[in-house]
């Protein structure tokens, strides 16, 4: 059984004064992978600038726009269709030897292989006073530890918009205890990495209608690498494992690698931006 | 050639040319007023007002008493005044800087020397007794630069762009001087029985355009309004005339746009059209309405300039 | 201190504890300098004062100047130039040249490795921290194969001669090393002032740098390009090295562009010309990594080109040097150079490395803290001579301050024995005489696909302040023409 998804994304920008020079990059196209297939993309903008399909520095597909005329208002609209295979997050062959897994993560080769997702970044650097905030328990499996971390993160932070912003670091998250999906994901990544587990920030869409947090904007969750198993998805904002409702777009070391929209706009005065996301799913036999 | 760099070279040419005309205007007006035949033309206020009018900063209140030193400083060396000679030279050098890889070392070195000369000219000396020395040096250095442009650059697109800048600016400056002197001649008429047509200002104007001697040779008569305007506007052989400048712009634009194809939207087309209009004008047509005619030329020149910018510099 | 019998050197004070490039220990002129010494000696110091003034105004009029920041608007300074050249004979040069190539190649292989399999780390030869704690390691570069396999197309290797008479490398600069235009200007200026002296020596030319650079850049063109279109990109005319950027573009005969002159369309790079868009294939960039593409790196930078990195990643344009080379010129990497050379080339280093103590290692930290007074302590990540403390110049109190700084951030510091840079007679304006001054040498190496080039000459930098060991131009240094003699 699979789901046929139809995703609608809009962004509207308006500026007080004429803008003569601007560049945007959208990182919102669903990834094609083992569970996401037949991705189709429709993209348009209101001033008929050329939509350039390209990639970002990590190879994820992007759309770049560089208008050649001046404007005060511009809106973007994207529609994606894809088939998502039903995912049972618990459906993996678990590795029984816990000690071996904990030994594995100490190996130099392992550390070199996953260097990108083990090193702290400006967003996820844990201040020294919080180094012991969540220690993995070597008596239970790494997967179980990660599940506990998922639950712990869920309880640690209250979902609330407007408290944090796109620049909030782990230190502030711990102290303010409020945040949005991005902050949940950063905290999870920081702690997993501290415990030697490769963790990557994931950006994507969440299927609406299930009352989950973070469904009217783009969503963020985490993938952690469990030795002898592979990458597994955790959604600490909702205290669940990533599954059929999670449609992945990109991953990276932190938000900075995955920002859905990057813009370099030269304008004076104030400006306003509005985004909407709508995800519709239909069961397929 | 990069569009931005082309724009810079165009403006380098313009600023070099502009410095020269501004400097000569100061020089000629100041020194010919000292022994001018009528009282008004000899009046210091009248001369200073004329200078400010010419550089595009006319006096709003005619009763305002101008101080000679501050007017000279403003037009010559004031870094705060956008149209001052020092700023012209500075802009010329900045524009040259950004195109340094395209122009000859010799040309750059001369511009650089020019800049350091103006930059280091002592203000005190300039406003007290250096006017002649300073302005003569500025005009001569501009001539040297034109010589280096002609003599050390490849006569290709780069050269054509600089020459277009120089000639566009020359036409603009000459028409501005005509405008200023036309005003002066209007204001000075009546005093001492000097009629507009035979005004002393026409001689001054010719000297400002460095065309007095040649004009005398050509007409063998004392300059009048008619003969002066004919010479400076319509005579294609006078190197400072509007007609001559337009002809040169037309020649150089062919280098950039060698298309012989009919294209009514091209700059080359517009230059050709304007040129053809003036080519077949005669002075009696203009005489009746000089002011309108001056305004018309200024408009046409800025129209060409805008079109050029759009076609070549604003990719 | 001894005095010498020669008009122009009559007041030259020779400190025998320093290694003098032209006088041996006994105070005799070295054979290779003898002719030059005699020729200069035939002049009076007054001639010298005049020549020096002339050379200065020649630089000034040519606009070979750099901007000084922080001063008033018109602060333009010439890079002080010394009329007494430095001579390097062919045997010594051979060592320098082979050594510079060896290092550049080893660094190139190192860069390839750390952006691919990271074998050198897996095998424990260098620590993981070299990449995961370096701000200059660009994860976006992982797995990218730069055209021709070259990362550090242009390297500037800084070498000194110690009092033991041997050459040591102080630093490898493989981001955007500058100074090569001064090498050529110095030669021109010296020729103008004292052309006669060239008749007596067989010196290699330095004016072939640009043509070699262009040739080698063309060997690393993107796939499928026949005759590549090369450009030089500069941050703009207000950059302190703008003269050099325009000089290189001019002598290579290529366009000097700014970020705003370029744009990316469908992952190809174009420049805006008076006749429309023209494709660009190879970019010699003089803009730092983080400024090349605001959509990929620093978003508030207007120096770069949006989309440039994607074009690079797709292999449609070559960037020289490649993004991410900065990780290999961190001072921490320097300290592993002997191991890096051995590992990739299976060779012994031709040029010596100055021994380095890592404050991040507890035993070495202890040694450093106990010996601050006889060490040079450097922050790992600063360029331009900033933040360096030289032990034997510090007061007791300053030593304690330095120790405290090291203890606070041991990873941030390395320490080296104080090297005694050799000295060279240098004309000093204030005293109108020749005095001993410390010198170093920046060499320029260009790597292409299966080819390399070292400029036979280099920038001999002089610390103009008496006794100063830091020769960077930002710290008040001058330079000398440098002659490499033919065999």
């Amino acid at each position: 059984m699979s789901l046929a998804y139809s995703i609608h994304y809009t962004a509207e920008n308006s500026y007080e004064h004429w803008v003569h020079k601007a560049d945007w990059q959208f990182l919102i196209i669903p990834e094609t992978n083992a569970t996401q297939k037949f991705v189709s993309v429709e993209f348009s903008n209101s001033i008929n600038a050329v939509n350039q399909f390209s990639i970002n520095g990590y190879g994820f597909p992007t759309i770049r726009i560089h208008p050649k005329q001046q404007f005060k208002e511009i809106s973007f609209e994207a529609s994606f269709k894809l088939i998502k295979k039903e995912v049972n997050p618990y459906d993996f062959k678990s590795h029984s030897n816990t000690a071996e897994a904990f030994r594995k993560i100490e190996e130099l080769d392992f550390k070199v292989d996953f260097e990108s997702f083990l090193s702290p970044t400006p967003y996820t650097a844990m201040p020294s006073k919080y180094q012991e905030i969540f220690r993995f328990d070597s008596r239970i499996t790494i997967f179980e530890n990660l599940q506990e971390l998922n639950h712990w993160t869920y309880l640690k932070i209250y979902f609330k918009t407007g408290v944090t912003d796109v620049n909030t670091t782990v230190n502030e998250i711990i102290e303010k205890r409020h945040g949005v999906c991005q902050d949940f994901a950063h905290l999870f990544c920081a702690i997993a990495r501290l415990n030697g587990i490769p963790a990557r920030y994931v950006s994507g869409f969440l299927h609406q209608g299930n009352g989950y947090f973070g469904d009217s904007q783009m969503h963020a969750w985490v993938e952690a690498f469990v030795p002898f198993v592979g990458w597994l998805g955790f959604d600490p904002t909702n205290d669940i494992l990533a599954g059929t409702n999670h449609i992945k777009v990109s991953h990276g070391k932190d938000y900075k690698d995955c920002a859905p929209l990057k813009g370099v706009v030269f304008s004076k005065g104030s400006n306003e931006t509005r985004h909407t996301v709508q995800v519709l799913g239909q069961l397929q036999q | 050639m990069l569009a931005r760099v082309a724009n810079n070279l165009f403006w380098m040419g313009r600023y070099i040319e502009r410095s020269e005309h501004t400097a000569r205007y100061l020089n000629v007006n100041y020194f010919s007023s000292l022994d001018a035949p009528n009282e008004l033309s000899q009046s210091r206020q009248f001369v200073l007002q004329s200078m400010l009018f010419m550089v595009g900063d006319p006096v709003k209140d005619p009763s305002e008493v101008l101080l000679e030193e501050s007017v000279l400083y403003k037009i010559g060396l004031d870094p705060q005044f956008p149209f001052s000679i020092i700023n012209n030279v500075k802009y010329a050098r900045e524009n040259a800087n950004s195109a340094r890889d395209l122009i000859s070392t010799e040309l750059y070195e001369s511009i650089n020397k020019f800049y350091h000369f103006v930059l280091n000219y002592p203000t005190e000396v300039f406003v007290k007794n250096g006017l002649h020395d300073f302005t003569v040096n500025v005009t001569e250095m501009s001539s040297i630069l034109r010589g280096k442009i002609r003599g050390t650059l490849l006569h290709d697109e780069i050269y054509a762009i600089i020459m277009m800048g120089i000639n566009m600016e020359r036409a603009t400056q000459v028409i501005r001087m005509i405008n200023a002197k036309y005003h002066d001649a209007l204001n000075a008429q009546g005093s001492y029985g000097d009629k507009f047509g035979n005004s002393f200002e026409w001689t001054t104007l010719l000297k400002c355009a460095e065309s007095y001697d040649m004009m005398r040779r050509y007409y063998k008569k004392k300059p009048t309004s008619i003969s002066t305007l004919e010479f400076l506007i319509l005579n294609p052989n006078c190197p400072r005339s509007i007609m001559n400048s337009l002809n040169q712009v037309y020649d150089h634009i062919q280098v950039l746009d060698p298309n012989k194809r009919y294209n009514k939207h091209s700059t080359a087309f517009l230059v050709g059209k304007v040129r053809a209009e003036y080519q077949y004008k005669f002075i009696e047509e203009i005489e009746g309405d000089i002011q309108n005619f001056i305004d018309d030329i200024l408009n046409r020149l800025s129209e060409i300039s805008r079109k050029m910018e759009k076609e070549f510099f604003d990719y | 201190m001894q005095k010498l019998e020669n008009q122009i050197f009559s007041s030259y004070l020779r400190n025998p504890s320093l290694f003098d490039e032209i006088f041996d220990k006994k105070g005799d002129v070295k054979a290779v300098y003898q002719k030059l010494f005699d020729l200069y000696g035939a002049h009076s110091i007054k001639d010298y004062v005049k020549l020096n003034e002339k050379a200065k105004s020649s630089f000034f009029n040519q606009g070979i100047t750099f901007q000084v920041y922080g001063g008033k608007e018109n602060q333009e300074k010439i890079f002080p130039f010394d009329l007494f050249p430095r001579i390097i004979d062919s045997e010594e040069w051979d060592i320098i040249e082979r050594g510079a190539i060896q290092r550049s190649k080893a660094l190139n292989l190192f860069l390839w490795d750390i952006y691919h399999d990271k074998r050198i780390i897996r095998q424990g030869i260098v620590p993981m921290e070299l990449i995961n704690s370096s701000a200059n390691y660009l994860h976006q570069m992982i797995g990218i194969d730069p055209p021709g396999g070259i990362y550090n197309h242009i390297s500037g290797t800084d070498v000194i001669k110690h009092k033991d008479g041997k050459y040591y490398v102080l630093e490898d600069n493989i981001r955007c090393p500058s100074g090569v235009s001064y090498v050529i200007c110095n030669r021109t200026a010296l020729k103008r002032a004292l052309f006669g002296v060239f008749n007596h020596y067989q010196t290699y030319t330095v004016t072939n740098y640009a043509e070699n650079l262009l040739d080698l850049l063309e060997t690393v063109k993107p796939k499928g390009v026949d005759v590549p279109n090369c450009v030089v990109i500069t941050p703009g005319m207000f950059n302190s090295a703008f003269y050099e950027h325009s000089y290189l573009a001019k002598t290579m005969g290529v366009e000097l562009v700014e970020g705003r002159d370029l744009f990316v369309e469908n992952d190809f790079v174009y420049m805006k010309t008076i006749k429309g868009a023209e494709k660009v294939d190879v970019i010699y960039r003089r803009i730092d990594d983080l400024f090349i593409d605001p959509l990929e790196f620093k978003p508030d930078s207007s120096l770069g080109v949006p989309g440039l990195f994607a074009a690079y990643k797709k292999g449609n344009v070559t960037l020289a040097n490649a993004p991410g080379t900065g990780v290999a010129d961190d001072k921490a990497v320097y300290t592993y150079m002997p191991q890096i050379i051995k590992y990739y080339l299976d060779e012994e280093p031709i040029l010596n490395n100055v021994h380095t103590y890592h404050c991040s290692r507890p035993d070495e930290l202890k040694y450093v803290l106990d010996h601050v007074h006889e060490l040079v302590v450097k922050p790992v990540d600063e360029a331009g001579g900033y933040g360096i403390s030289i032990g034997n110049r510090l007061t007791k109190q300053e030593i304690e301050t330095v120790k405290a700084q090291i203890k606070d951030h041991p990873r941030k510091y390395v320490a080296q024995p104080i090297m005694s840079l050799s000295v060279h007679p240098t004309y000093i304006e204030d005293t109108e005489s020749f005095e001993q001054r410390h010198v170093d040498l920046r060499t320029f190496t260009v790597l292409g696909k299966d080819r390399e080039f070292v400029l036979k000459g280099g920038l001999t930098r002089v610390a103009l302040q008496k006794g100063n060991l830091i020769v960077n131009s930002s710290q008040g240094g001058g330079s000398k023409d440098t002659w490499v003699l033919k065999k």
Side-chain angles (χ1 to χ4, degrees):
Chain A
M1 211 166 45
S2 330
L3 274 169
Y5 277 118
S6 159
I7 299 163
H8 198 71
Y9 172 100
T10 64
E12 285 170 36
N13 297 341
S14 57
Y15 302 87
E16 191 179 337
H17 298 288
W18 286 105
V19 179
H20 298 278
K21 192 173 180 300
D23 284 278
W24 288 281
Q25 175 176 293
F26 289 89
L27 183 56
I28 54 174
I29 302 175
E31 184 189 52
T32 299
N33 58 29
T35 67
Q36 299 178 181
K37 298 241 184 302
F38 310 112
V39 179
S40 74
V41 184
E42 268 176 58
F43 190 91
S44 64
N45 65 73
S46 59
I47 62 170
N48 290 320
V50 180
N51 303 310
Q52 300 183 45
F53 288 84
S54 181
I55 51 171
N56 75 352
Y58 297 99
F60 289 97
T62 61
I63 303 157
R64 271 201 312 275
I65 290 107
H66 174 71
K68 288 191 172 143
Q69 76 214 66
Q70 57 171 17
F71 58 88
K72 275 185 168 178
E73 277 172 10
I74 185 166
S75 59
F76 306 93
E77 237 184 291
S79 295
F80 309 110
K81 289 194 165 51
L82 71 142
I83 306 293
K84 176 103 190 177
K85 255 176 59 184
E86 169 141 353
V87 179
N88 175 2
Y90 295 95
D91 181 21
F92 59 83
K93 234 183 95 192
S94 79
H95 187 75
S96 49
N97 193 333
T98 305
E100 199 182 333
F102 273 102
R103 266 200 307 279
K104 182 80 187 163
I105 63 172
E106 292 302 322
E107 285 173 12
L108 181 59
D109 266 330
F110 184 86
K111 288 180 182 172
V112 172
D113 285 340
F114 295 102
E115 182 277 326
S116 300
F117 304 112
L118 279 171
S119 308
T121 67
Y123 277 109
T124 62
M126 189 66 85
S128 45
K129 55 184 168 180
Y130 296 128
Q131 294 282 322
E132 298 296 325
I133 196 165
F134 188 100
R135 274 281 149 214
F136 276 21
D137 182 348
S138 58
R139 291 163 304 182
I140 56 174
T141 66
I142 288 175
F143 176 66
E144 285 159 350
N145 272 295
L146 288 165
Q147 272 186 300
E148 296 217 340
L149 173 60
N150 204 33
H151 187 59
W152 179 89
T153 311
Y154 172 72
L155 295 177
K156 182 81 183 171
I157 314 175
Y158 304 102
F159 188 94
K160 193 172 178 197
T161 55
V163 180
T164 55
D165 62 22
V166 293
N167 298 314
T168 304
T169 61
V170 162
N171 187 37
E172 294 167 68
I173 299 166
I174 293 174
E175 275 160 20
K176 290 184 178 153
R177 297 199 65 183
H178 285 82
V180 294
C181 52
Q182 171 188 319
D183 306 306
F184 285 82
H186 277 152
L187 183 56
F188 186 109
C189 284
I191 292 173
R193 290 173 193 173
L194 266 184
N195 286 284
I197 302 299
R200 58 195 191 193
Y201 182 99
V202 179
S203 159
F205 299 100
L206 185 64
H207 181 203
Q208 294 166 321
N210 289 328
Y212 292 138
F213 286 119
D215 57 358
S216 63
Q217 299 273 322
M218 283 194 73
H219 191 46
W221 62 96
V222 178
E223 285 174 354
F225 189 87
V226 180
F228 307 109
V229 176
W231 292 102
L232 298 175
F234 298 84
D235 181 353
T237 314
N238 294 302
D239 196 17
I240 53 173
L241 297 186
T244 319
N245 291 316
H246 293 77
I247 301 142
K248 179 174 169 182
V249 168
S250 71
H251 65 241
K253 300 186 295 299
D254 57 25
Y255 170 77
K256 202 170 151 231
D257 291 346
C258 301
L261 175 53
K262 283 186 182 182
V264 181
V265 179
F266 294 91
S267 76
K268 289 196 188 104
S270 59
N271 66 76
E272 265 181 59
T273 308
R274 275 180 38 212
H275 302 268
T276 64
V277 172
Q278 205 183 26
V279 182
L280 295 172
Q282 213 172 18
L283 269 177
Q284 276 201 332
Q285 289 305 319
Chain B
M1 186 180 11
L2 292 173
R4 173 181 57 82
V5 172
N7 192 17
N8 289 341
L9 286 171
F10 179 78
W11 279 97
M12 179 190 84
R14 291 196 75 145
Y15 283 120
I16 291 171
E17 187 72 16
R18 190 178 295 179
S19 319
E20 171 176 346
H21 290 286
T22 309
R24 188 174 296 106
Y25 196 83
L26 292 190
N27 180 310
V28 171
N29 276 279
Y30 188 91
F31 293 104
S32 35
S33 75
L34 296 178
D35 57 355
N38 71 63
E39 215 178 309
L40 185 59
S41 295
Q42 223 177 54
S43 137
R44 192 53 46 88
Q45 288 301 312
F46 180 73
V47 172
L48 296 175
Q49 284 174 3
S50 174
M51 290 174 178
L52 288 171
F53 184 90
M54 149 75 178
V55 296
D57 187 34
V59 177
K60 287 181 195 84
D61 170 15
S63 64
E64 184 191 338
V65 178
L66 298 166
L67 292 175
E68 176 178 321
E69 290 190 4
S70 50
V71 172
L72 293 182
Y73 172 72
K74 184 173 188 177
I75 303 176
L77 294 177
D78 186 354
Q80 308 301 327
F81 180 57
F83 309 124
S84 63
I85 293 173
I86 193 170
N87 274 329
N88 278 323
V89 179
K90 196 175 136 203
Y91 300 147
R93 179 174 178 261
E94 273 178 19
N95 281 300
N97 261 338
S98 70
R100 209 163 153 174
D101 51 318
L102 298 182
I103 59 179
S104 64
T105 316
E106 292 80 6
L107 173 58
Y108 183 78
E109 209 166 320
S110 300
I111 294 176
N112 203 38
K113 271 192 200 157
F114 188 13
Y115 168 73
H116 288 297
F117 168 80
V118 175
L119 189 70
N120 296 324
Y121 206 91
T123 304
E124 268 305 284
V125 176
F126 173 66
V127 298
K128 289 257 169 7
N129 50 29
L131 180 66
H132 185 73
D133 174 62
F134 178 79
T135 53
V136 165
N137 266 296
V138 169
T139 53
E140 287 188 346
M141 283 179 174
S142 322
S143 298
I144 290 175
L145 288 181
R146 275 199 307 270
K148 299 273 184 192
I149 290 166
R150 194 179 162 73
T152 68
L153 297 185
L154 215 56
H155 286 204
D156 61 1
E157 289 172 348
I158 294 170
Y159 178 71
I161 291 228
I162 301 173
M163 290 309 288
M164 269 166 37
I166 287 178
N167 283 291
M168 285 298 296
E169 186 65 22
R170 180 175 297 170
T172 310
Q173 289 303 321
V174 169
I175 199 70
R176 290 182 68 91
M177 289 192 301
I178 291 174
N179 195 16
K181 287 284 111 184
Y182 167 73
H183 266 251
D184 292 350
L186 277 183
N187 289 333
Q189 68 181 318
S191 62
Y192 220 172
D194 193 3
K195 292 271 171 17
F196 170 79
N198 294 316
S199 174
F200 167 71
E201 301 300 334
W202 303 118
T203 302
T204 317
L205 171 59
L206 285 163
K207 287 183 177 164
C208 289
E210 241 181 356
S211 304
Y212 181 68
D213 294 349
M214 290 303 114
M215 193 275 178
R216 291 301 297 245
R217 228 178 94 82
Y218 186 76
Y219 289 95
K220 305 192 170 44
K221 277 194 191 113
K222 187 172 178 286
T224 64
S225 56
I226 292 285
S227 58
T228 305
L229 294 178
E230 185 177 67
F231 194 64
L232 285 183
I233 297 175
L234 300 178
N235 190 329
N237 296 323
C238 165
R240 301 296 167 97
S241 72
I242 308 293
M243 199 58 232
N244 185 286
S245 304
L246 284 172
N247 284 339
Q248 292 216 41
V249 173
Y250 185 73
D251 288 347
H252 291 298
I253 207 161
Q254 305 295 323
V255 178
L256 295 181
D257 180 11
N259 263 332
K260 292 280 177 257
R261 191 166 55 88
Y262 176 80
N263 175 4
K264 64 181 176 183
H265 301 295
S266 74
T267 315
F269 184 89
L270 179 65
V271 175
K273 185 177 169 201
V274 174
R275 183 182 83 128
E277 261 173 54
Y278 292 124
Q279 192 175 2
Y280 298 110
K281 261 207 179 7
F282 46 93
I283 196 66
E284 287 76 9
E285 285 179 283
I286 299 170
E287 198 190 355
D289 197 358
I290 298 176
Q291 187 60 56
N292 255 332
F293 183 71
I294 290 172
D295 292 344
D296 183 57
I297 297 182
L298 280 169
N299 288 338
R300 303 307 284 275
L301 288 173
S302 63
E303 195 187 337
I304 293 173
S305 215
R306 275 198 307 274
K307 197 149 205 145
M308 227 173 238
E309 191 159 311
K310 225 173 156 190
E311 182 172 346
F312 299 108
F313 308 144
D314 186 28
Y315 176 77
Chain C
M1 301 271 175
Q2 301 172 5
K3 293 211 170 188
L4 287 151
E5 300 294 319
N6 182 310
Q7 249 206 350
I8 212 157
F9 283 95
S10 55
S11 61
Y12 188 72
L13 295 173
R14 200 175 61 81
N15 178 347
S17 71
L18 299 174
F19 186 97
D20 195 302
E21 292 280 351
I22 92 161
F23 299 104
D24 64 18
K25 285 218 169 76
K26 284 179 281 173
D28 295 331
V29 179
K30 293 178 188 171
V32 71
Y33 275 98
Q34 187 63 54
K35 191 73 207 166
L36 196 66
F37 184 72
D38 294 342
L39 288 166
Y40 275 61
H43 290 275
S44 73
I45 200 79
K46 286 280 163 262
D47 293 339
Y48 235 84
V49 177
K50 259 191 240 153
L51 284 174
N52 185 53
E53 281 306 314
K54 249 180 148 172
K56 270 168 63 179
S57 70
S58 152
F59 271 89
F60 198 67
N61 285 335
Q62 287 180 69
I64 306 170
T65 50
F66 62 92
Q67 303 276 336
V68 179
Y69 297 105
K72 63 170 206 189
E73 190 198 355
N74 301 317
Q75 282 279 32
E76 251 176 66
K77 287 202 165 168
I78 61 165
F79 190 40
F81 164 65
D82 187 63
L83 283 170
F84 198 103
R86 175 195 199 164
I87 303 179
I88 299 176
D89 68 30
S90 55
E91 284 108 68
E92 275 193 10
W93 179 257
D94 185 55
I95 297 171
I96 296 175
E97 177 163 331
R98 286 189 297 117
I101 291 176
Q102 184 190 48
R103 288 181 85 93
S104 297
K105 284 186 166 171
L107 283 168
N108 192 51
L109 293 167
F110 174 69
L111 283 161
W112 178 280
D113 190 18
I114 61 170
Y115 285 121
H116 290 83
D117 295 340
K118 309 182 184 76
R119 286 182 297 129
I120 196 167
I121 299 171
R122 288 176 201 275
Q123 296 182 19
I125 294 166
V126 303
M128 179 99 134
E129 283 72 45
L130 286 194
I131 60 171
N132 71 3
S133 63
S134 166
N136 298 309
Y137 185 71
L138 289 187
H139 287 88
Q140 286 94 329
M141 284 298 291
I142 294 174
I144 291 183
D145 298 350
I150 305 293
Y151 288 85
N152 51 323
H153 308 80
I154 297 111
S155 313
T157 313
D158 291 348
V159 296
I160 58 143
K161 198 189 265 180
H162 188 41
K163 58 185 170 203
D164 59 7
K166 287 188 183 138
Y167 282 102
Y168 286 79
V169 175
L170 280 193
E171 226 171 66
D172 302 278
N173 298 280
I174 57 176
R175 280 177 247 203
C176 303
S178 67
V180 73
S181 59
Y182 292 119
V183 175
I184 296 147
C185 293
N186 285 352
R187 179 64 54 85
T188 312
L190 191 63
K191 277 187 190 164
R192 281 189 191 180
L194 289 156
F195 57 89
V197 300
F198 285 89
N199 292 333
H200 301 274
Y201 286 92
Q202 291 266 306
T203 307
Y204 279 108
T205 180
V206 288
T207 50
N208 58 351
Y209 180 77
E211 55 198 76
N212 278 286
L213 177 60
L214 183 61
D215 279 356
L216 290 169
L217 287 177
E218 287 181 351
T219 67
V220 292
K221 63 192 178 186
K223 279 203 186 88
V225 174
D226 192 14
V227 182
N229 193 5
C230 301
V231 299
V232 177
I233 189 168
T234 169
M237 55 185 274
F238 297 105
N239 184 273
S240 58
F242 181 75
Y243 171 73
E244 175 152 312
H245 307 160
S246 67
Y247 177 87
L248 289 170
K250 181 177 185 163
T251 46
M252 287 197 277
V254 305
E255 294 291 349
L256 178 66
V257 305
E258 294 179 18
R260 55 188 160 143
D261 296 322
L262 301 182
F263 67 98
V264 174
E265 206 162 272
N266 298 320
D267 299 321
F268 284 89
V269 183
Y270 298 90
M271 62 180 168
K272 305 169 184 174
T273 79
I274 52 171
K275 290 187 177 146
E278 201 178 300
K279 187 161 138 290
V280 171
D281 307 301
V282 179
I283 301 177
Y284 175 27
R285 53 143 182 149
R286 297 296 295 257
I287 296 179
D288 288 339
D289 283 354
L290 294 186
F291 298 91
I292 57 173
D293 180 350
L295 289 177
E296 192 62 43
F297 304 106
K298 249 176 121 52
D300 50 353
S301 157
S302 56
L303 300 177
V305 187
L308 180 60
F309 194 81
Y312 179 73
K313 194 174 164 76
K314 289 209 163 174
N316 295 335
V317 69
T318 302
L319 294 173
N321 289 351
T325 49
V327 63
D329 77 3
D330 282 358
K331 291 193 180 67
V333 171
Y334 166 86
T335 64
Y336 291 98
M337 274 314 281
Q339 291 92 314
I340 288 173
I341 291 171
K342 180 96 186 132
Y343 182 76
Y344 293 110
L345 302 174
D346 196 23
E347 290 170 9
E348 290 305 317
I350 297 167
L351 290 167
N352 302 297
N353 234 49
V354 180
H355 184 79
T356 307
Y357 301 93
H358 293 260
C359 300
S360 53
R361 296 182 192 150
D363 49 332
E364 298 188 9
L365 173 65
K366 188 174 177 321
Y367 179 87
V368 171
L369 291 175
D370 292 345
H371 295 85
V372 167
H373 61 283
E374 55 189 48
L375 294 170
V376 181
V377 177
K378 304 176 175 184
V380 182
D381 50 2
E382 288 277 353
Y386 293 100
I388 293 180
S389 45
I390 297 167
N392 59 0
R393 301 284 157 81
L394 302 177
T395 62
K396 277 218 165 93
Q397 206 179 353
E398 284 166 338
I399 288 185
E400 290 310 313
T401 317
V402 172
K403 277 171 140 177
Q405 281 168 354
I406 301 173
K407 275 191 221 161
D408 281 351
H409 300 283
R411 304 183 87 90
K412 233 187 107 181
Y413 293 95
V414 294
Q416 294 167 334
I418 296 171
M419 297 303 283
S420 172
L421 278 64
S422 60
V423 291
H424 201 287
T426 301
Y427 174 73
I428 301 301
E429 269 178 32
D430 292 347
T431 59
E432 295 195 350
S433 67
F434 278 87
E435 297 183 13
Q436 286 185 325
R437 285 295 182 272
H438 291 292
V439 293
D440 79 346
L441 175 68
R442 171 169 289 186
T443 63
F444 298 90
T445 308
V446 188
L447 290 186
K449 194 182 172 198
D450 309 321
R451 268 181 67 196
E452 63 275 326
F453 169 78
V454 181
L455 179 64
K456 289 191 195 307
L459 190 64
T460 291
R461 297 183 296 182
V462 188
L464 287 179
Q465 279 171 29
K466 206 169 190 162
N468 196 342
L469 288 173
I470 299 167
V471 291
N472 294 66
S473 60
S474 48
Q475 305 265 326
S479 70
K480 278 173 176 292
D481 188 18
T482 307
W483 296 1
V484 173
L485 299 185
K486 295 181 183 168
K487 278 203 178 105

